[in-house]
């Protein structure tokens, strides 16, 4: 890597705390420019907390975070963020184009800005994600996958270099999950940007990832799927024996005879709503100029 091109993300001995508890403890890793990184780990492992720290919404208790060589700042225009919004969108009558435009200057649900540069940028991102046909339809008539497509368009306003996507696959059926992942990967390659894509389960992402960032028990492990999704690495992260099974091209992470992902889903709904306001807040700050 040349000195003129710093890494997309440098985490150096970072500790992140919530309510006095270390969510991430003395973690260090580097994400290269243009990588597609899957961020995995059980609920409470710090996937959302890490993204909030990158957005400048949560200061590190210790260590340093650098995004493209610069210290973290709130409202960094080089970062696009898709929060874990789930409720509310399905009932909105706002048109797709206006919904995308609302994020252009961090506006909530007021009238979208109408200056020419914003209009041009909105049309650019709608075309980029292939959502022109959704522009004139209300959100209430769209599928979950189509709404995720518009949320991705919002993230791409202003030409960010780093996308943070917080569990965009939750609530989507397998077909729509595949569509969202393939769309993100296509856009990421076309724009040569870096993506951190947090997910509850590895398998939907398995063949499209460059590397995996696995969080657990305050620790972080970054590497290829084979390097990270292994019995010794995950057992160390979880602090208990973990088995990794490969069956018919799929990977299953097991604690005893229970699949980790299935165990984790029991707590998903409550956690998701508990964070909803935070995500929304972070999303709009991420587009401030």
């Amino acid at each position: 890597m040349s000195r003129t091109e710093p890494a997309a993300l440098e985490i150096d001995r970072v500790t992140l705390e919530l309510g006095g508890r270390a969510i991430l403890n003395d973690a260090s890793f580097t994400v290269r420019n243009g990588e597609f990184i899957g961020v995995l780990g059980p609920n409470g492992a710090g996937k959302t907390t890490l993204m909030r720290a990158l957005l400048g919404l949560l200061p590190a208790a210790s260590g340093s975070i650098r995004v493209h060589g610069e210290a973290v700042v709130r409202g960094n225009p080089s970062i696009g963020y898709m929060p874990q919004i789930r409720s509310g969108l399905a009932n909105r009558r706002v048109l797709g184009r206006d919904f995308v435009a609302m994020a252009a200057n961090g506006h909530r649900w007021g009238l979208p800005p109408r200056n020419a540069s914003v209009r041009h940028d909105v049309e650019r991102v709608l075309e980029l994600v292939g959502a022109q046909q959704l522009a004139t339809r209300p959100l209430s008539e769209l599928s979950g996958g189509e709404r995720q497509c518009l949320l991705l368009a919002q993230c791409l306003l202003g030409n960010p270099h780093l996308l943070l996507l917080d569990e965009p696959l939750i609530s989507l059926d397998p077909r729509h999950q595949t569509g969202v992942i393939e769309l993100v990967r296509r856009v990421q390659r076309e724009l040569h940007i870096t993506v951190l894509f947090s997910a509850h389960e590895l398998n939907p992402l398995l063949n499209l990832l460059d590397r995996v960032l696995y969080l657990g028990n305050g620790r972080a492990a970054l590497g290829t799927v084979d390097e990270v999704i292994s019995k010794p690495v995950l057992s160390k992260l979880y602090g208990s024996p973990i088995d990794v099974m490969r069956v018919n091209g799929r990977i299953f992470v097991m604690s005893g005879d229970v699949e980790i992902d299935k165990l984790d889903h029991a707590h998903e709904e409550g956690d998701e709503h508990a964070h909803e306001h935070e995500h929304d807040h972070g999303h709009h700050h991420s587009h401030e100029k």
Side-chain angles (χ1 to χ4, degrees), residues 46-144:
K47 299 188 294 288
T48 294
T49 301
L50 173 62
M51 290 189 179
R52 286 175 54 75
L54 300 182
L55 291 166
L57 299 174
L58 176 71
S62 63
S64 68
I65 303 173
R66 302 188 77 79
V67 177
H68 301 114
E70 302 292 333
V72 166
V73 292
R74 192 169 177 139
N76 185 345
S78 76
I79 301 177
Y81 178 47
M82 184 190 291
Q84 220 181 98
I85 294 175
R86 289 297 167 260
S87 62
L89 292 185
N91 299 320
R92 294 195 178 274
R93 295 296 303 171
V94 64
L95 300 182
R97 177 179 284 107
D98 292 338
F99 174 70
V100 173
M102 284 170 183
N105 293 315
H107 288 282
R108 185 70 175 93
W109 298 111
L111 290 174
R114 290 295 181 188
N115 68 65
S117 65
V118 169
R119 287 199 304 270
H120 176 78
D121 203 24
V122 168
E123 296 308 314
R124 178 186 66 83
V125 296
L126 285 170
E127 182 177 355
L128 188 62
V129 302
Q132 300 98 320
Q133 75 281 9
L134 306 179
T136 57
R137 294 172 59 193
L139 294 188
S140 57
E141 294 180 7
L142 304 182
S143 70

Side-chain angles (χ1 to χ4, degrees), residues 154-251:
Q154 278 191 342
C155 293
L156 295 167
L157 288 168
N159 287 302
H161 305 301
L162 171 64
L163 288 190
L164 307 178
L165 308 181
D166 195 356
E167 304 237 20
L169 304 183
I170 285 181
S171 303
L172 299 182
D173 63 34
R175 182 174 63 85
H176 283 123
Q177 286 187 358
T178 300
V180 168
I181 296 164
E182 289 177 348
L183 172 61
V184 172
R185 186 56 153 156
R186 177 181 64 75
V187 168
Q188 181 253 343
R189 285 172 166 160
E190 193 171 321
L191 298 179
H192 307 292
I193 56 179
T194 307
V195 173
L196 267 60
F197 189 120
S198 88
H200 222 81
E201 204 223 328
L202 172 64
N203 286 307
L205 296 163
L206 195 52
N207 297 316
L208 292 172
L209 291 176
D210 292 317
R211 291 195 293 168
V212 171
L213 173 63
Y214 208 105
L215 306 179
N217 208 26
R219 301 183 179 95
L222 176 63
T224 65
V225 170
D226 286 341
E227 287 168 346
V228 172
I229 311 301
S230 67
K231 182 172 181 173
V233 172
L234 294 186
S235 295
K236 182 178 179 182
L237 284 182
Y238 278 95
S240 62
I242 299 294
D243 286 314
V244 176
M245 300 174 61
R246 286 166 165 79
V247 182
N248 295 329
R250 293 172 61 83
I251 295 177

Side-chain angles (χ1 to χ4, degrees), residues 6-19:
L9 179 61
E10 295 168 274
I11 302 288
D12 185 21
R13 305 201 67 176
V14 166
T15 295
L16 300 176
E17 295 179 349
L18 276 181

